Amino acid sequence: MPNKRLERWYLEQLKSELPDFPTGEVEPGESPDFVVREPEGSVGIEITVFHRAPAHGERPHQELQSLKDGVVDLARRMHHESGGPALYVTVFFHEPIAFNKRSAQSVAAAIAGAVSQTAVPSSIGDGSRSVAWDHLPDGVVAITIYASVDGADRLWSADAGGWVAPVTANEIDVVLRGKQSMLTIARTKCRRVWLVVVNDVFSRAAPVELSDEARHHLYPYGFNRVFWLDAHAPAITELKRAG
């Protein structure tokens, strides 16, 4: 189900960066996601979050991130059950990751063991400690450790980094074609229809950025306007229509 609160936040981010955003009342809807009522005709605004399709033979970023998160959470539980102190731990993995669900248990145990062998800080004011390179498990490039702020809170996380993939004009074209049926419906309700393609760095989608080629390409779309929205900057790029 669509998250209307999140979609509304995306809309507000667009509005904050677009001086000529329509001034009428905004109403939530379906196909399009929002309708802005104006005297000269309604403006429909469709929101879609960009997810880069994995290359052939490549596992989706969301799947890999979920696997990393699961391994680190399992390591946290192992460390706690063995009597380890409350810590804030971040684990940085080699890319591409070298484990799968079958080997997750052993990787988690190795991470928990590496933390247990490290002289950890006793208070938040002591700064961070790093696991010695010769104690790092295979496939892990770094582990940083901070003391818990209150001696009880335990926060272990996996890095969400990696190579930032450039989004090509062809990938934008795929999104536009995929929205064609929605556009047909929206045209029956609204005089003008906009599409907002959202890059949300916290959505667990693969990290991406709009390439220069995609930024300046002319697209044969039927929408009145199309925007690329970097939601957390925020920043917008209006994608130009051919013809």
PDB file of all heavy atoms in Angstrom, residues 187-211:
ATOM      1  N   ARG A 187      -5.557  11.819 -17.112  1.00  0.00           N
ATOM      2  CA  ARG A 187      -6.017  12.809 -18.098  1.00  0.00           C
ATOM      3  C   ARG A 187      -7.536  12.987 -18.059  1.00  0.00           C
ATOM      4  O   ARG A 187      -8.067  14.017 -18.485  1.00  0.00           O
ATOM      5  CB  ARG A 187      -5.593  12.382 -19.490  1.00  0.00           C
ATOM      6  CG  ARG A 187      -4.114  12.593 -19.798  1.00  0.00           C
ATOM      7  CD  ARG A 187      -3.798  14.045 -19.970  1.00  0.00           C
ATOM      8  NE  ARG A 187      -2.401  14.281 -20.347  1.00  0.00           N
ATOM      9  CZ  ARG A 187      -1.756  15.401 -20.141  1.00  0.00           C
ATOM     10  NH1 ARG A 187      -2.380  16.403 -19.538  1.00  0.00           N
ATOM     11  NH2 ARG A 187      -0.511  15.545 -20.498  1.00  0.00           N
ATOM     12  N   THR A 188      -8.249  11.964 -17.579  1.00  0.00           N
ATOM     13  CA  THR A 188      -9.707  12.073 -17.497  1.00  0.00           C
ATOM     14  C   THR A 188     -10.135  12.922 -16.300  1.00  0.00           C
ATOM     15  O   THR A 188     -11.298  13.318 -16.194  1.00  0.00           O
ATOM     16  CB  THR A 188     -10.356  10.685 -17.386  1.00  0.00           C
ATOM     17  OG1 THR A 188      -9.990  10.088 -16.127  1.00  0.00           O
ATOM     18  CG2 THR A 188      -9.917   9.786 -18.528  1.00  0.00           C
ATOM     19  N   LYS A 189      -9.178  13.197 -15.373  1.00  0.00           N
ATOM     20  CA  LYS A 189      -9.501  13.923 -14.143  1.00  0.00           C
ATOM     21  C   LYS A 189      -8.879  15.315 -14.086  1.00  0.00           C
ATOM     22  O   LYS A 189      -9.391  16.188 -13.376  1.00  0.00           O
ATOM     23  CB  LYS A 189      -9.008  13.128 -12.924  1.00  0.00           C
ATOM     24  CG  LYS A 189      -9.470  11.692 -12.857  1.00  0.00           C
ATOM     25  CD  LYS A 189      -8.794  10.987 -11.679  1.00  0.00           C
ATOM     26  CE  LYS A 189      -9.136   9.513 -11.626  1.00  0.00           C
ATOM     27  NZ  LYS A 189      -8.453   8.814 -10.505  1.00  0.00           N
ATOM     28  N   CYS A 190      -7.762  15.481 -14.782  1.00  0.00           N
ATOM     29  CA  CYS A 190      -6.973  16.700 -14.609  1.00  0.00           C
ATOM     30  C   CYS A 190      -6.608  17.309 -15.958  1.00  0.00           C
ATOM     31  O   CYS A 190      -6.335  16.590 -16.923  1.00  0.00           O
ATOM     32  CB  CYS A 190      -5.683  16.400 -13.838  1.00  0.00           C
ATOM     33  SG  CYS A 190      -5.964  15.596 -12.236  1.00  0.00           S
ATOM     34  N   ARG A 191      -6.555  18.629 -15.980  1.00  0.00           N
ATOM     35  CA  ARG A 191      -6.161  19.326 -17.200  1.00  0.00           C
ATOM     36  C   ARG A 191      -4.673  19.146 -17.468  1.00  0.00           C
ATOM     37  O   ARG A 191      -4.244  19.003 -18.612  1.00  0.00           O
ATOM     38  CB  ARG A 191      -6.510  20.811 -17.066  1.00  0.00           C
ATOM     39  CG  ARG A 191      -6.162  21.636 -18.289  1.00  0.00           C
ATOM     40  CD  ARG A 191      -6.504  23.090 -18.071  1.00  0.00           C
ATOM     41  NE  ARG A 191      -6.096  23.905 -19.211  1.00  0.00           N
ATOM     42  CZ  ARG A 191      -6.127  25.233 -19.213  1.00  0.00           C
ATOM     43  NH1 ARG A 191      -6.561  25.888 -18.139  1.00  0.00           N
ATOM     44  NH2 ARG A 191      -5.734  25.903 -20.273  1.00  0.00           N
ATOM     45  N   ARG A 192      -3.872  19.223 -16.400  1.00  0.00           N
ATOM     46  CA  ARG A 192      -2.429  19.024 -16.508  1.00  0.00           C
ATOM     47  C   ARG A 192      -1.996  17.926 -15.549  1.00  0.00           C
ATOM     48  O   ARG A 192      -2.559  17.785 -14.459  1.00  0.00           O
ATOM     49  CB  ARG A 192      -1.688  20.323 -16.179  1.00  0.00           C
ATOM     50  CG  ARG A 192      -1.869  21.446 -17.197  1.00  0.00           C
ATOM     51  CD  ARG A 192      -1.263  22.744 -16.698  1.00  0.00           C
ATOM     52  NE  ARG A 192      -2.054  23.320 -15.607  1.00  0.00           N
ATOM     53  CZ  ARG A 192      -1.613  24.236 -14.741  1.00  0.00           C
ATOM     54  NH1 ARG A 192      -0.343  24.644 -14.819  1.00  0.00           N
ATOM     55  NH2 ARG A 192      -2.393  24.727 -13.810  1.00  0.00           N
ATOM     56  N   VAL A 193      -0.972  17.163 -15.944  1.00  0.00           N
ATOM     57  CA  VAL A 193      -0.481  16.058 -15.102  1.00  0.00           C
ATOM     58  C   VAL A 193       1.038  16.133 -15.019  1.00  0.00           C
ATOM     59  O   VAL A 193       1.719  16.206 -16.051  1.00  0.00           O
ATOM     60  CB  VAL A 193      -0.906  14.676 -15.658  1.00  0.00           C
ATOM     61  CG1 VAL A 193      -0.473  13.579 -14.692  1.00  0.00           C
ATOM     62  CG2 VAL A 193      -2.410  14.623 -15.884  1.00  0.00           C
ATOM     63  N   TRP A 194       1.548  16.122 -13.807  1.00  0.00           N
ATOM     64  CA  TRP A 194       2.985  16.123 -13.556  1.00  0.00           C
ATOM     65  C   TRP A 194       3.407  14.766 -13.006  1.00  0.00           C
ATOM     66  O   TRP A 194       2.633  14.076 -12.333  1.00  0.00           O
ATOM     67  CB  TRP A 194       3.365  17.180 -12.520  1.00  0.00           C
ATOM     68  CG  TRP A 194       3.096  18.597 -12.892  1.00  0.00           C
ATOM     69  CD1 TRP A 194       2.561  19.072 -14.066  1.00  0.00           C
ATOM     70  CD2 TRP A 194       3.344  19.746 -12.074  1.00  0.00           C
ATOM     71  NE1 TRP A 194       2.460  20.428 -14.038  1.00  0.00           N
ATOM     72  CE2 TRP A 194       2.940  20.886 -12.827  1.00  0.00           C
ATOM     73  CE3 TRP A 194       3.870  19.929 -10.805  1.00  0.00           C
ATOM     74  CZ2 TRP A 194       3.042  22.181 -12.319  1.00  0.00           C
ATOM     75  CZ3 TRP A 194       3.981  21.212 -10.293  1.00  0.00           C
ATOM     76  CH2 TRP A 194       3.572  22.320 -11.051  1.00  0.00           C
ATOM     77  N   LEU A 195       4.654  14.420 -13.272  1.00  0.00           N
ATOM     78  CA  LEU A 195       5.257  13.219 -12.679  1.00  0.00           C
ATOM     79  C   LEU A 195       6.485  13.649 -11.885  1.00  0.00           C
ATOM     80  O   LEU A 195       7.323  14.404 -12.387  1.00  0.00           O
ATOM     81  CB  LEU A 195       5.663  12.219 -13.766  1.00  0.00           C
ATOM     82  CG  LEU A 195       6.389  10.957 -13.275  1.00  0.00           C
ATOM     83  CD1 LEU A 195       5.485  10.095 -12.408  1.00  0.00           C
ATOM     84  CD2 LEU A 195       6.924  10.135 -14.456  1.00  0.00           C
ATOM     85  N   VAL A 196       6.592  13.146 -10.644  1.00  0.00           N
ATOM     86  CA  VAL A 196       7.743  13.425  -9.791  1.00  0.00           C
ATOM     87  C   VAL A 196       8.457  12.098  -9.509  1.00  0.00           C
ATOM     88  O   VAL A 196       7.885  11.202  -8.887  1.00  0.00           O
ATOM     89  CB  VAL A 196       7.328  14.077  -8.459  1.00  0.00           C
ATOM     90  CG1 VAL A 196       8.561  14.405  -7.622  1.00  0.00           C
ATOM     91  CG2 VAL A 196       6.487  15.324  -8.712  1.00  0.00           C
ATOM     92  N   VAL A 197       9.688  11.978 -10.026  1.00  0.00           N
ATOM     93  CA  VAL A 197      10.502  10.771  -9.810  1.00  0.00           C
ATOM     94  C   VAL A 197      11.421  11.072  -8.625  1.00  0.00           C
ATOM     95  O   VAL A 197      12.272  11.949  -8.704  1.00  0.00           O
ATOM     96  CB  VAL A 197      11.317  10.413 -11.067  1.00  0.00           C
ATOM     97  CG1 VAL A 197      12.072   9.106 -10.850  1.00  0.00           C
ATOM     98  CG2 VAL A 197      10.397  10.310 -12.285  1.00  0.00           C
ATOM     99  N   VAL A 198      11.238  10.339  -7.536  1.00  0.00           N
ATOM    100  CA  VAL A 198      11.904  10.656  -6.275  1.00  0.00           C
ATOM    101  C   VAL A 198      13.140   9.786  -6.071  1.00  0.00           C
ATOM    102  O   VAL A 198      13.079   8.556  -6.209  1.00  0.00           O
ATOM    103  CB  VAL A 198      10.945  10.459  -5.086  1.00  0.00           C
ATOM    104  CG1 VAL A 198      11.655  10.762  -3.763  1.00  0.00           C
ATOM    105  CG2 VAL A 198       9.703  11.333  -5.241  1.00  0.00           C
ATOM    106  N   ASN A 199      14.238  10.438  -5.753  1.00  0.00           N
ATOM    107  CA  ASN A 199      15.442   9.734  -5.296  1.00  0.00           C
ATOM    108  C   ASN A 199      15.501   9.915  -3.779  1.00  0.00           C
ATOM    109  O   ASN A 199      15.847  10.982  -3.283  1.00  0.00           O
ATOM    110  CB  ASN A 199      16.693  10.321  -5.957  1.00  0.00           C
ATOM    111  CG  ASN A 199      17.966   9.665  -5.451  1.00  0.00           C
ATOM    112  OD1 ASN A 199      17.966   8.512  -5.029  1.00  0.00           O
ATOM    113  ND2 ASN A 199      19.069  10.398  -5.486  1.00  0.00           N
ATOM    114  N   ASP A 200      15.145   8.850  -3.040  1.00  0.00           N
ATOM    115  CA  ASP A 200      15.123   8.887  -1.577  1.00  0.00           C
ATOM    116  C   ASP A 200      16.277   8.033  -1.066  1.00  0.00           C
ATOM    117  O   ASP A 200      16.222   6.808  -1.118  1.00  0.00           O
ATOM    118  CB  ASP A 200      13.790   8.357  -1.051  1.00  0.00           C
ATOM    119  CG  ASP A 200      13.657   8.498   0.461  1.00  0.00           C
ATOM    120  OD1 ASP A 200      14.685   8.692   1.136  1.00  0.00           O
ATOM    121  OD2 ASP A 200      12.529   8.393   0.967  1.00  0.00           O
ATOM    122  N   VAL A 201      17.321   8.678  -0.547  1.00  0.00           N
ATOM    123  CA  VAL A 201      18.528   7.949  -0.147  1.00  0.00           C
ATOM    124  C   VAL A 201      18.287   7.070   1.065  1.00  0.00           C
ATOM    125  O   VAL A 201      19.101   6.198   1.371  1.00  0.00           O
ATOM    126  CB  VAL A 201      19.696   8.916   0.143  1.00  0.00           C
ATOM    127  CG1 VAL A 201      20.111   9.657  -1.099  1.00  0.00           C
ATOM    128  CG2 VAL A 201      19.332   9.891   1.263  1.00  0.00           C
ATOM    129  N   PHE A 202      17.146   7.269   1.767  1.00  0.00           N
ATOM    130  CA  PHE A 202      16.853   6.456   2.936  1.00  0.00           C
ATOM    131  C   PHE A 202      15.786   5.404   2.660  1.00  0.00           C
ATOM    132  O   PHE A 202      15.236   4.812   3.578  1.00  0.00           O
ATOM    133  CB  PHE A 202      16.421   7.337   4.101  1.00  0.00           C
ATOM    134  CG  PHE A 202      17.513   8.263   4.571  1.00  0.00           C
ATOM    135  CD1 PHE A 202      17.333   9.631   4.539  1.00  0.00           C
ATOM    136  CD2 PHE A 202      18.721   7.758   5.017  1.00  0.00           C
ATOM    137  CE1 PHE A 202      18.337  10.495   4.950  1.00  0.00           C
ATOM    138  CE2 PHE A 202      19.741   8.616   5.428  1.00  0.00           C
ATOM    139  CZ  PHE A 202      19.552   9.979   5.403  1.00  0.00           C
ATOM    140  N   SER A 203      15.483   5.161   1.388  1.00  0.00           N
ATOM    141  CA  SER A 203      14.437   4.206   1.048  1.00  0.00           C
ATOM    142  C   SER A 203      14.955   2.783   0.943  1.00  0.00           C
ATOM    143  O   SER A 203      14.207   1.872   0.666  1.00  0.00           O
ATOM    144  CB  SER A 203      13.802   4.597  -0.293  1.00  0.00           C
ATOM    145  OG  SER A 203      14.715   4.375  -1.359  1.00  0.00           O
ATOM    146  N   ARG A 204      16.275   2.586   1.134  1.00  0.00           N
ATOM    147  CA  ARG A 204      16.940   1.288   0.953  1.00  0.00           C
ATOM    148  C   ARG A 204      17.035   0.893  -0.510  1.00  0.00           C
ATOM    149  O   ARG A 204      17.393  -0.239  -0.826  1.00  0.00           O
ATOM    150  CB  ARG A 204      16.251   0.178   1.754  1.00  0.00           C
ATOM    151  CG  ARG A 204      16.375   0.342   3.264  1.00  0.00           C
ATOM    152  CD  ARG A 204      17.823   0.377   3.711  1.00  0.00           C
ATOM    153  NE  ARG A 204      17.934   0.263   5.154  1.00  0.00           N
ATOM    154  CZ  ARG A 204      19.074   0.401   5.823  1.00  0.00           C
ATOM    155  NH1 ARG A 204      20.176   0.691   5.197  1.00  0.00           N
ATOM    156  NH2 ARG A 204      19.104   0.269   7.129  1.00  0.00           N
ATOM    157  N   ALA A 205      16.683   1.795  -1.394  1.00  0.00           N
ATOM    158  CA  ALA A 205      16.991   1.558  -2.799  1.00  0.00           C
ATOM    159  C   ALA A 205      18.491   1.756  -3.002  1.00  0.00           C
ATOM    160  O   ALA A 205      19.173   2.331  -2.165  1.00  0.00           O
ATOM    161  CB  ALA A 205      16.209   2.526  -3.684  1.00  0.00           C
ATOM    162  N   ALA A 206      19.017   1.251  -4.109  1.00  0.00           N
ATOM    163  CA  ALA A 206      20.442   1.423  -4.386  1.00  0.00           C
ATOM    164  C   ALA A 206      20.774   2.906  -4.502  1.00  0.00           C
ATOM    165  O   ALA A 206      20.018   3.678  -5.088  1.00  0.00           O
ATOM    166  CB  ALA A 206      20.797   0.710  -5.695  1.00  0.00           C
ATOM    167  N   PRO A 207      21.902   3.348  -3.908  1.00  0.00           N
ATOM    168  CA  PRO A 207      22.275   4.763  -3.999  1.00  0.00           C
ATOM    169  C   PRO A 207      22.498   5.170  -5.456  1.00  0.00           C
ATOM    170  O   PRO A 207      23.266   4.533  -6.175  1.00  0.00           O
ATOM    171  CB  PRO A 207      23.583   4.831  -3.197  1.00  0.00           C
ATOM    172  CG  PRO A 207      23.580   3.617  -2.328  1.00  0.00           C
ATOM    173  CD  PRO A 207      22.861   2.572  -3.110  1.00  0.00           C
ATOM    174  N   VAL A 208      21.822   6.233  -5.883  1.00  0.00           N
ATOM    175  CA  VAL A 208      21.919   6.673  -7.276  1.00  0.00           C
ATOM    176  C   VAL A 208      22.030   8.188  -7.336  1.00  0.00           C
ATOM    177  O   VAL A 208      21.731   8.896  -6.369  1.00  0.00           O
ATOM    178  CB  VAL A 208      20.693   6.224  -8.104  1.00  0.00           C
ATOM    179  CG1 VAL A 208      20.564   4.708  -8.136  1.00  0.00           C
ATOM    180  CG2 VAL A 208      19.410   6.868  -7.578  1.00  0.00           C
ATOM    181  N   GLU A 209      22.454   8.678  -8.499  1.00  0.00           N
ATOM    182  CA  GLU A 209      22.409  10.101  -8.794  1.00  0.00           C
ATOM    183  C   GLU A 209      22.133  10.257 -10.276  1.00  0.00           C
ATOM    184  O   GLU A 209      22.500   9.410 -11.091  1.00  0.00           O
ATOM    185  CB  GLU A 209      23.723  10.784  -8.408  1.00  0.00           C
ATOM    186  CG  GLU A 209      24.948  10.259  -9.138  1.00  0.00           C
ATOM    187  CD  GLU A 209      26.227  10.930  -8.665  1.00  0.00           C
ATOM    188  OE1 GLU A 209      26.172  11.749  -7.742  1.00  0.00           O
ATOM    189  OE2 GLU A 209      27.290  10.614  -9.231  1.00  0.00           O
ATOM    190  N   LEU A 210      21.470  11.339 -10.623  1.00  0.00           N
ATOM    191  CA  LEU A 210      21.104  11.586 -12.013  1.00  0.00           C
ATOM    192  C   LEU A 210      22.353  11.932 -12.810  1.00  0.00           C
ATOM    193  O   LEU A 210      23.108  12.832 -12.442  1.00  0.00           O
ATOM    194  CB  LEU A 210      20.093  12.733 -12.070  1.00  0.00           C
ATOM    195  CG  LEU A 210      19.273  12.886 -13.346  1.00  0.00           C
ATOM    196  CD1 LEU A 210      18.387  11.668 -13.558  1.00  0.00           C
ATOM    197  CD2 LEU A 210      18.424  14.150 -13.262  1.00  0.00           C
ATOM    198  N   SER A 211      22.595  11.199 -13.884  1.00  0.00           N
ATOM    199  CA  SER A 211      23.770  11.466 -14.717  1.00  0.00           C
ATOM    200  C   SER A 211      23.555  12.742 -15.525  1.00  0.00           C
ATOM    201  O   SER A 211      22.418  13.187 -15.748  1.00  0.00           O
ATOM    202  CB  SER A 211      24.014  10.301 -15.675  1.00  0.00           C
ATOM    203  OG  SER A 211      22.972  10.210 -16.632  1.00  0.00           O
TER     204      SER A 211
END
